[in-house]
Amino acid sequence: MHVNVLLEPFCEDLCSWRIRLLKMKNFRKVVLCLIVIMMGIFSAKCRDPVLHRVGGGRYTWAPNINFKDWSSHEQFFVGDWLYFGFDKHLYNVLEVNKTSYEKCIDEGFLKNITRGGRDVFNLTEARPYYFLSGRGYCFKGMKVEILVRDYQAPPAVPIVVHKTSAADIYRNNIQLVLIATALVWTFLFKYI
């Protein structure tokens, strides 16, 4: 019994040390995961979706607006949204195929996106989309063709060495800093 009494504090210290070590390993894993996620975020070349107001204004899904001219000045990418603002008692918004678009046929449409007169449509694929208003308003110009493309990030700008500021170095080397931090963190706490 005397030996157990002497070893008991030692065993408690050893157990608490193991628990702290396990917690430290888990903490290290969490930190490394966060660093990897941050690296992914900083290195991702993405674009926020854009809400395009069809016709250019809040309530511009209406007759006698040049939607062809409007769409020619816009760039549509996968993930963007179209906003149609209109009087739902007079007009509607139908997604149609190319033939129906060209001939203003409002029967056999692909999708009726009319809900309440302030309707949105998500552009989910890189392809042409065709929309028109039925009830004869298509013949008054209420139709639009939307050409959607996949987003491609602009090419990286080469770094000019003689004009590099401290801020540029920081911005361009954020991944290296994160990797170095992860490595130092790993080696620092590996033998604790």
Side-chain angles (χ1 to χ4, degrees):
M1 248 201 204
H2 189 273
V3 173
N4 287 343
V5 172
L6 290 175
L7 291 178
E8 190 174 314
F10 176 74
C11 289
E12 286 179 16
D13 285 345
L14 185 62
C15 290
S16 66
W17 177 253
R18 284 184 178 171
I19 291 170
R20 276 189 264 150
L21 187 60
L22 287 173
K23 286 181 182 178
M24 184 62 75
K25 284 184 179 180
N26 288 337
F27 179 72
R28 189 171 24 143
K29 288 178 185 177
V30 169
V31 169
L32 288 174
C33 287
L34 289 173
I35 289 173
V36 169
I37 290 169
M38 287 172 45
M39 286 173 48
I41 290 170
F42 283 121
S43 66
K45 294 178 180 173
C46 59
R47 172 185 173 276
D48 288 333
V50 173
L51 178 68
H52 301 273
R53 294 179 184 269
V54 177
R58 192 168 178 190
Y59 297 105
T60 51
W61 182 242
N64 304 317
I65 292 179
N66 189 340
F67 293 106
K68 187 171 188 163
D69 182 57
W70 170 81
S71 67
S72 71
H73 292 92
E74 299 283 320
Q75 290 186 352
F76 304 97
F77 296 102
V78 173
D80 284 356
W81 292 83
L82 298 177
Y83 169 84
F84 293 88
F86 57 96
D87 182 347
K88 70 177 182 176
H89 300 293
L90 295 176
Y91 315 120
N92 59 10
V93 182
L94 307 173
E95 181 186 6
V96 296
N97 62 29
K98 185 176 183 177
T99 303
S100 295
Y101 171 80
E102 290 169 345
K103 297 181 180 183
C104 285
I105 300 171
D106 61 357
E107 296 173 359
F109 51 84
L110 300 174
K111 186 175 183 182
N112 183 350
I113 65 166
T114 307
R115 297 290 175 263
R118 292 181 297 275
D119 303 321
V120 293
F121 184 84
N122 188 220
L123 303 169
T124 58
E125 297 178 55
R127 66 175 177 90
Y129 288 84
Y130 303 96
F131 299 96
L132 58 81
S133 183
R135 305 174 189 147
Y137 288 103
C138 177
F139 293 107
K140 295 181 180 180
M142 287 186 69
K143 65 180 187 175
V144 65
E145 176 182 7
I146 306 292
L147 300 173
V148 179
R149 299 178 292 170
D150 284 316
Y151 177 72
Q152 294 180 357
V157 178
I159 299 172
V160 179
V161 176
H162 67 290
K163 292 185 179 180
T164 304
S165 69
D168 292 334
I169 292 171
Y170 175 77
R171 225 177 295 121
N172 293 328
N173 294 322
I174 189 71
Q175 285 183 330
L176 293 175
V177 170
L178 291 173
I179 290 171
T181 304
L183 290 173
V184 168
W185 188 270
T186 301
F187 290 118
L188 185 64
F189 293 106
K190 185 175 184 177
Y191 299 106
I192 293 179

PDB file of all heavy atoms in Angstrom, residues 53-56 60-74 101 140-145:
ATOM      1  N   ARG A  53     -30.105  43.572 -63.529  1.00  0.00           N
ATOM      2  CA  ARG A  53     -31.490  44.062 -63.656  1.00  0.00           C
ATOM      3  C   ARG A  53     -31.816  44.129 -65.149  1.00  0.00           C
ATOM      4  O   ARG A  53     -31.272  44.985 -65.864  1.00  0.00           O
ATOM      5  CB  ARG A  53     -31.634  45.429 -63.012  1.00  0.00           C
ATOM      6  CG  ARG A  53     -31.436  45.386 -61.504  1.00  0.00           C
ATOM      7  CD  ARG A  53     -31.564  46.785 -60.906  1.00  0.00           C
ATOM      8  NE  ARG A  53     -31.287  46.757 -59.487  1.00  0.00           N
ATOM      9  CZ  ARG A  53     -32.223  46.571 -58.554  1.00  0.00           C
ATOM     10  NH1 ARG A  53     -33.471  46.380 -58.899  1.00  0.00           N
ATOM     11  NH2 ARG A  53     -31.879  46.573 -57.282  1.00  0.00           N
ATOM     12  N   VAL A  54     -32.663  43.213 -65.582  1.00  0.00           N
ATOM     13  CA  VAL A  54     -32.966  43.097 -67.012  1.00  0.00           C
ATOM     14  C   VAL A  54     -33.573  44.403 -67.505  1.00  0.00           C
ATOM     15  O   VAL A  54     -34.561  44.890 -66.966  1.00  0.00           O
ATOM     16  CB  VAL A  54     -33.909  41.903 -67.279  1.00  0.00           C
ATOM     17  CG1 VAL A  54     -34.281  41.839 -68.754  1.00  0.00           C
ATOM     18  CG2 VAL A  54     -33.242  40.604 -66.828  1.00  0.00           C
ATOM     19  N   GLY A  55     -32.930  44.983 -68.488  1.00  0.00           N
ATOM     20  CA  GLY A  55     -33.342  46.280 -69.025  1.00  0.00           C
ATOM     21  C   GLY A  55     -32.620  47.437 -68.373  1.00  0.00           C
ATOM     22  O   GLY A  55     -32.690  48.562 -68.844  1.00  0.00           O
ATOM     23  N   GLY A  56     -31.958  47.175 -67.256  1.00  0.00           N
ATOM     24  CA  GLY A  56     -31.138  48.201 -66.622  1.00  0.00           C
ATOM     25  C   GLY A  56     -31.748  48.907 -65.433  1.00  0.00           C
ATOM     26  O   GLY A  56     -31.067  49.661 -64.751  1.00  0.00           O
ATOM     27  N   THR A  60     -37.980  47.422 -65.436  1.00  0.00           N
ATOM     28  CA  THR A  60     -37.742  47.656 -66.862  1.00  0.00           C
ATOM     29  C   THR A  60     -38.027  46.437 -67.731  1.00  0.00           C
ATOM     30  O   THR A  60     -37.577  46.376 -68.867  1.00  0.00           O
ATOM     31  CB  THR A  60     -36.303  48.138 -67.101  1.00  0.00           C
ATOM     32  OG1 THR A  60     -35.406  47.249 -66.455  1.00  0.00           O
ATOM     33  CG2 THR A  60     -36.104  49.553 -66.596  1.00  0.00           C
ATOM     34  N   TRP A  61     -38.752  45.456 -67.207  1.00  0.00           N
ATOM     35  CA  TRP A  61     -39.243  44.388 -68.085  1.00  0.00           C
ATOM     36  C   TRP A  61     -40.590  44.900 -68.594  1.00  0.00           C
ATOM     37  O   TRP A  61     -41.647  44.693 -68.002  1.00  0.00           O
ATOM     38  CB  TRP A  61     -39.380  43.076 -67.319  1.00  0.00           C
ATOM     39  CG  TRP A  61     -39.825  41.894 -68.146  1.00  0.00           C
ATOM     40  CD1 TRP A  61     -40.976  41.185 -67.968  1.00  0.00           C
ATOM     41  CD2 TRP A  61     -39.145  41.278 -69.231  1.00  0.00           C
ATOM     42  NE1 TRP A  61     -41.060  40.176 -68.882  1.00  0.00           N
ATOM     43  CE2 TRP A  61     -39.938  40.205 -69.679  1.00  0.00           C
ATOM     44  CE3 TRP A  61     -37.953  41.531 -69.898  1.00  0.00           C
ATOM     45  CZ2 TRP A  61     -39.576  39.382 -70.745  1.00  0.00           C
ATOM     46  CZ3 TRP A  61     -37.579  40.721 -70.956  1.00  0.00           C
ATOM     47  CH2 TRP A  61     -38.383  39.654 -71.356  1.00  0.00           C
ATOM     48  N   ALA A  62     -40.507  45.650 -69.687  1.00  0.00           N
ATOM     49  CA  ALA A  62     -41.668  46.345 -70.234  1.00  0.00           C
ATOM     50  C   ALA A  62     -41.487  46.490 -71.742  1.00  0.00           C
ATOM     51  O   ALA A  62     -40.379  46.331 -72.257  1.00  0.00           O
ATOM     52  CB  ALA A  62     -41.808  47.723 -69.574  1.00  0.00           C
ATOM     53  N   PRO A  63     -42.572  46.827 -72.461  1.00  0.00           N
ATOM     54  CA  PRO A  63     -42.445  47.010 -73.915  1.00  0.00           C
ATOM     55  C   PRO A  63     -41.568  48.222 -74.262  1.00  0.00           C
ATOM     56  O   PRO A  63     -41.337  49.100 -73.442  1.00  0.00           O
ATOM     57  CB  PRO A  63     -43.899  47.261 -74.367  1.00  0.00           C
ATOM     58  CG  PRO A  63     -44.765  46.846 -73.239  1.00  0.00           C
ATOM     59  CD  PRO A  63     -43.938  46.948 -71.990  1.00  0.00           C
ATOM     60  N   ASN A  64     -41.122  48.215 -75.490  1.00  0.00           N
ATOM     61  CA  ASN A  64     -40.382  49.337 -76.087  1.00  0.00           C
ATOM     62  C   ASN A  64     -39.038  49.617 -75.400  1.00  0.00           C
ATOM     63  O   ASN A  64     -38.590  50.754 -75.362  1.00  0.00           O
ATOM     64  CB  ASN A  64     -41.247  50.606 -76.121  1.00  0.00           C
ATOM     65  CG  ASN A  64     -42.552  50.367 -76.864  1.00  0.00           C
ATOM     66  OD1 ASN A  64     -42.553  49.732 -77.922  1.00  0.00           O
ATOM     67  ND2 ASN A  64     -43.655  50.831 -76.306  1.00  0.00           N
ATOM     68  N   ILE A  65     -38.430  48.594 -74.847  1.00  0.00           N
ATOM     69  CA  ILE A  65     -37.071  48.711 -74.305  1.00  0.00           C
ATOM     70  C   ILE A  65     -36.173  47.831 -75.179  1.00  0.00           C
ATOM     71  O   ILE A  65     -36.535  46.706 -75.516  1.00  0.00           O
ATOM     72  CB  ILE A  65     -37.007  48.278 -72.829  1.00  0.00           C
ATOM     73  CG1 ILE A  65     -37.780  49.289 -71.984  1.00  0.00           C
ATOM     74  CG2 ILE A  65     -35.562  48.158 -72.350  1.00  0.00           C
ATOM     75  CD1 ILE A  65     -37.836  48.983 -70.513  1.00  0.00           C
ATOM     76  N   ASN A  66     -35.017  48.338 -75.524  1.00  0.00           N
ATOM     77  CA  ASN A  66     -34.107  47.595 -76.394  1.00  0.00           C
ATOM     78  C   ASN A  66     -33.277  46.616 -75.549  1.00  0.00           C
ATOM     79  O   ASN A  66     -32.185  46.945 -75.081  1.00  0.00           O
ATOM     80  CB  ASN A  66     -33.204  48.571 -77.155  1.00  0.00           C
ATOM     81  CG  ASN A  66     -32.403  47.879 -78.227  1.00  0.00           C
ATOM     82  OD1 ASN A  66     -32.204  46.670 -78.208  1.00  0.00           O
ATOM     83  ND2 ASN A  66     -31.936  48.661 -79.183  1.00  0.00           N
ATOM     84  N   PHE A  67     -33.828  45.425 -75.351  1.00  0.00           N
ATOM     85  CA  PHE A  67     -33.152  44.422 -74.535  1.00  0.00           C
ATOM     86  C   PHE A  67     -31.912  43.861 -75.228  1.00  0.00           C
ATOM     87  O   PHE A  67     -30.961  43.461 -74.560  1.00  0.00           O
ATOM     88  CB  PHE A  67     -34.114  43.284 -74.170  1.00  0.00           C
ATOM     89  CG  PHE A  67     -35.214  43.723 -73.254  1.00  0.00           C
ATOM     90  CD1 PHE A  67     -36.509  43.887 -73.726  1.00  0.00           C
ATOM     91  CD2 PHE A  67     -34.957  43.992 -71.916  1.00  0.00           C
ATOM     92  CE1 PHE A  67     -37.523  44.309 -72.884  1.00  0.00           C
ATOM     93  CE2 PHE A  67     -35.967  44.412 -71.062  1.00  0.00           C
ATOM     94  CZ  PHE A  67     -37.249  44.566 -71.548  1.00  0.00           C
ATOM     95  N   LYS A  68     -31.913  43.859 -76.548  1.00  0.00           N
ATOM     96  CA  LYS A  68     -30.725  43.390 -77.270  1.00  0.00           C
ATOM     97  C   LYS A  68     -29.550  44.313 -76.999  1.00  0.00           C
ATOM     98  O   LYS A  68     -28.434  43.860 -76.748  1.00  0.00           O
ATOM     99  CB  LYS A  68     -31.025  43.296 -78.769  1.00  0.00           C
ATOM    100  CG  LYS A  68     -29.924  42.657 -79.561  1.00  0.00           C
ATOM    101  CD  LYS A  68     -30.342  42.390 -80.991  1.00  0.00           C
ATOM    102  CE  LYS A  68     -29.280  41.579 -81.682  1.00  0.00           C
ATOM    103  NZ  LYS A  68     -29.758  40.957 -82.909  1.00  0.00           N
ATOM    104  N   ASP A  69     -29.800  45.601 -77.031  1.00  0.00           N
ATOM    105  CA  ASP A  69     -28.744  46.574 -76.743  1.00  0.00           C
ATOM    106  C   ASP A  69     -28.284  46.435 -75.283  1.00  0.00           C
ATOM    107  O   ASP A  69     -27.094  46.458 -75.002  1.00  0.00           O
ATOM    108  CB  ASP A  69     -29.262  47.995 -77.017  1.00  0.00           C
ATOM    109  CG  ASP A  69     -28.188  49.042 -76.770  1.00  0.00           C
ATOM    110  OD1 ASP A  69     -27.112  48.944 -77.405  1.00  0.00           O
ATOM    111  OD2 ASP A  69     -28.415  49.928 -75.921  1.00  0.00           O
ATOM    112  N   TRP A  70     -29.239  46.313 -74.372  1.00  0.00           N
ATOM    113  CA  TRP A  70     -28.896  46.166 -72.956  1.00  0.00           C
ATOM    114  C   TRP A  70     -28.017  44.930 -72.729  1.00  0.00           C
ATOM    115  O   TRP A  70     -26.979  45.017 -72.087  1.00  0.00           O
ATOM    116  CB  TRP A  70     -30.163  46.066 -72.100  1.00  0.00           C
ATOM    117  CG  TRP A  70     -29.860  45.675 -70.700  1.00  0.00           C
ATOM    118  CD1 TRP A  70     -29.418  46.493 -69.702  1.00  0.00           C
ATOM    119  CD2 TRP A  70     -29.933  44.367 -70.133  1.00  0.00           C
ATOM    120  NE1 TRP A  70     -29.212  45.761 -68.547  1.00  0.00           N
ATOM    121  CE2 TRP A  70     -29.526  44.454 -68.789  1.00  0.00           C
ATOM    122  CE3 TRP A  70     -30.310  43.120 -70.632  1.00  0.00           C
ATOM    123  CZ2 TRP A  70     -29.477  43.352 -67.945  1.00  0.00           C
ATOM    124  CZ3 TRP A  70     -30.262  42.023 -69.794  1.00  0.00           C
ATOM    125  CH2 TRP A  70     -29.854  42.157 -68.472  1.00  0.00           C
ATOM    126  N   SER A  71     -28.419  43.778 -73.266  1.00  0.00           N
ATOM    127  CA  SER A  71     -27.661  42.541 -73.019  1.00  0.00           C
ATOM    128  C   SER A  71     -26.287  42.568 -73.678  1.00  0.00           C
ATOM    129  O   SER A  71     -25.356  41.922 -73.201  1.00  0.00           O
ATOM    130  CB  SER A  71     -28.448  41.305 -73.474  1.00  0.00           C
ATOM    131  OG  SER A  71     -28.604  41.292 -74.871  1.00  0.00           O
ATOM    132  N   SER A  72     -26.141  43.348 -74.764  1.00  0.00           N
ATOM    133  CA  SER A  72     -24.832  43.426 -75.429  1.00  0.00           C
ATOM    134  C   SER A  72     -23.806  44.184 -74.585  1.00  0.00           C
ATOM    135  O   SER A  72     -22.608  44.053 -74.807  1.00  0.00           O
ATOM    136  CB  SER A  72     -24.963  44.072 -76.811  1.00  0.00           C
ATOM    137  OG  SER A  72     -25.242  45.456 -76.677  1.00  0.00           O
ATOM    138  N   HIS A  73     -24.272  44.978 -73.622  1.00  0.00           N
ATOM    139  CA  HIS A  73     -23.371  45.728 -72.751  1.00  0.00           C
ATOM    140  C   HIS A  73     -23.132  45.034 -71.408  1.00  0.00           C
ATOM    141  O   HIS A  73     -22.478  45.601 -70.538  1.00  0.00           O
ATOM    142  CB  HIS A  73     -23.911  47.141 -72.511  1.00  0.00           C
ATOM    143  CG  HIS A  73     -23.886  47.979 -73.746  1.00  0.00           C
ATOM    144  ND1 HIS A  73     -24.954  48.066 -74.600  1.00  0.00           N
ATOM    145  CD2 HIS A  73     -22.908  48.744 -74.283  1.00  0.00           C
ATOM    146  CE1 HIS A  73     -24.644  48.863 -75.609  1.00  0.00           C
ATOM    147  NE2 HIS A  73     -23.403  49.293 -75.446  1.00  0.00           N
ATOM    148  N   GLU A  74     -23.691  43.868 -71.228  1.00  0.00           N
ATOM    149  CA  GLU A  74     -23.540  43.108 -69.987  1.00  0.00           C
ATOM    150  C   GLU A  74     -22.670  41.882 -70.243  1.00  0.00           C
ATOM    151  O   GLU A  74     -22.607  41.386 -71.367  1.00  0.00           O
ATOM    152  CB  GLU A  74     -24.910  42.644 -69.469  1.00  0.00           C
ATOM    153  CG  GLU A  74     -25.870  43.753 -69.132  1.00  0.00           C
ATOM    154  CD  GLU A  74     -25.551  44.423 -67.806  1.00  0.00           C
ATOM    155  OE1 GLU A  74     -25.182  43.722 -66.853  1.00  0.00           O
ATOM    156  OE2 GLU A  74     -25.678  45.660 -67.739  1.00  0.00           O
ATOM    157  N   TYR A 101     -38.175  31.859 -79.181  1.00  0.00           N
ATOM    158  CA  TYR A 101     -37.674  33.226 -78.980  1.00  0.00           C
ATOM    159  C   TYR A 101     -37.742  34.010 -80.289  1.00  0.00           C
ATOM    160  O   TYR A 101     -38.241  35.131 -80.328  1.00  0.00           O
ATOM    161  CB  TYR A 101     -36.237  33.162 -78.460  1.00  0.00           C
ATOM    162  CG  TYR A 101     -35.540  34.499 -78.418  1.00  0.00           C
ATOM    163  CD1 TYR A 101     -35.763  35.390 -77.381  1.00  0.00           C
ATOM    164  CD2 TYR A 101     -34.646  34.869 -79.421  1.00  0.00           C
ATOM    165  CE1 TYR A 101     -35.129  36.623 -77.342  1.00  0.00           C
ATOM    166  CE2 TYR A 101     -34.000  36.087 -79.389  1.00  0.00           C
ATOM    167  CZ  TYR A 101     -34.240  36.963 -78.353  1.00  0.00           C
ATOM    168  OH  TYR A 101     -33.606  38.175 -78.323  1.00  0.00           O
ATOM    169  N   LYS A 140     -43.820  43.305 -79.102  1.00  0.00           N
ATOM    170  CA  LYS A 140     -43.525  44.705 -78.777  1.00  0.00           C
ATOM    171  C   LYS A 140     -42.113  44.842 -78.191  1.00  0.00           C
ATOM    172  O   LYS A 140     -41.796  45.844 -77.560  1.00  0.00           O
ATOM    173  CB  LYS A 140     -44.560  45.252 -77.800  1.00  0.00           C
ATOM    174  CG  LYS A 140     -45.952  45.325 -78.391  1.00  0.00           C
ATOM    175  CD  LYS A 140     -46.934  45.880 -77.404  1.00  0.00           C
ATOM    176  CE  LYS A 140     -48.318  45.936 -78.033  1.00  0.00           C
ATOM    177  NZ  LYS A 140     -49.324  46.457 -77.118  1.00  0.00           N
ATOM    178  N   GLY A 141     -41.313  43.801 -78.369  1.00  0.00           N
ATOM    179  CA  GLY A 141     -39.910  43.869 -77.969  1.00  0.00           C
ATOM    180  C   GLY A 141     -39.569  43.249 -76.624  1.00  0.00           C
ATOM    181  O   GLY A 141     -38.414  43.308 -76.206  1.00  0.00           O
ATOM    182  N   MET A 142     -40.542  42.645 -75.955  1.00  0.00           N
ATOM    183  CA  MET A 142     -40.269  42.077 -74.632  1.00  0.00           C
ATOM    184  C   MET A 142     -39.695  40.668 -74.759  1.00  0.00           C
ATOM    185  O   MET A 142     -40.352  39.663 -74.485  1.00  0.00           O
ATOM    186  CB  MET A 142     -41.527  42.075 -73.760  1.00  0.00           C
ATOM    187  CG  MET A 142     -41.891  43.460 -73.277  1.00  0.00           C
ATOM    188  SD  MET A 142     -43.254  43.457 -72.121  1.00  0.00           S
ATOM    189  CE  MET A 142     -42.516  42.664 -70.703  1.00  0.00           C
ATOM    190  N   LYS A 143     -38.452  40.623 -75.194  1.00  0.00           N
ATOM    191  CA  LYS A 143     -37.713  39.364 -75.268  1.00  0.00           C
ATOM    192  C   LYS A 143     -36.234  39.685 -75.153  1.00  0.00           C
ATOM    193  O   LYS A 143     -35.789  40.764 -75.541  1.00  0.00           O
ATOM    194  CB  LYS A 143     -38.021  38.592 -76.549  1.00  0.00           C
ATOM    195  CG  LYS A 143     -37.589  39.264 -77.838  1.00  0.00           C
ATOM    196  CD  LYS A 143     -37.964  38.387 -79.016  1.00  0.00           C
ATOM    197  CE  LYS A 143     -37.405  38.939 -80.324  1.00  0.00           C
ATOM    198  NZ  LYS A 143     -37.673  38.009 -81.426  1.00  0.00           N
ATOM    199  N   VAL A 144     -35.491  38.731 -74.563  1.00  0.00           N
ATOM    200  CA  VAL A 144     -34.061  38.959 -74.372  1.00  0.00           C
ATOM    201  C   VAL A 144     -33.314  37.638 -74.478  1.00  0.00           C
ATOM    202  O   VAL A 144     -33.782  36.597 -74.016  1.00  0.00           O
ATOM    203  CB  VAL A 144     -33.777  39.660 -73.020  1.00  0.00           C
ATOM    204  CG1 VAL A 144     -34.150  38.794 -71.832  1.00  0.00           C
ATOM    205  CG2 VAL A 144     -32.327  40.101 -72.928  1.00  0.00           C
ATOM    206  N   GLU A 145     -32.172  37.719 -75.132  1.00  0.00           N
ATOM    207  CA  GLU A 145     -31.254  36.572 -75.235  1.00  0.00           C
ATOM    208  C   GLU A 145     -30.069  36.865 -74.319  1.00  0.00           C
ATOM    209  O   GLU A 145     -29.479  37.942 -74.385  1.00  0.00           O
ATOM    210  CB  GLU A 145     -30.774  36.402 -76.678  1.00  0.00           C
ATOM    211  CG  GLU A 145     -29.758  35.307 -76.853  1.00  0.00           C
ATOM    212  CD  GLU A 145     -29.255  35.195 -78.287  1.00  0.00           C
ATOM    213  OE1 GLU A 145     -29.593  36.064 -79.127  1.00  0.00           O
ATOM    214  OE2 GLU A 145     -28.501  34.247 -78.557  1.00  0.00           O
TER     215      GLU A 145
END
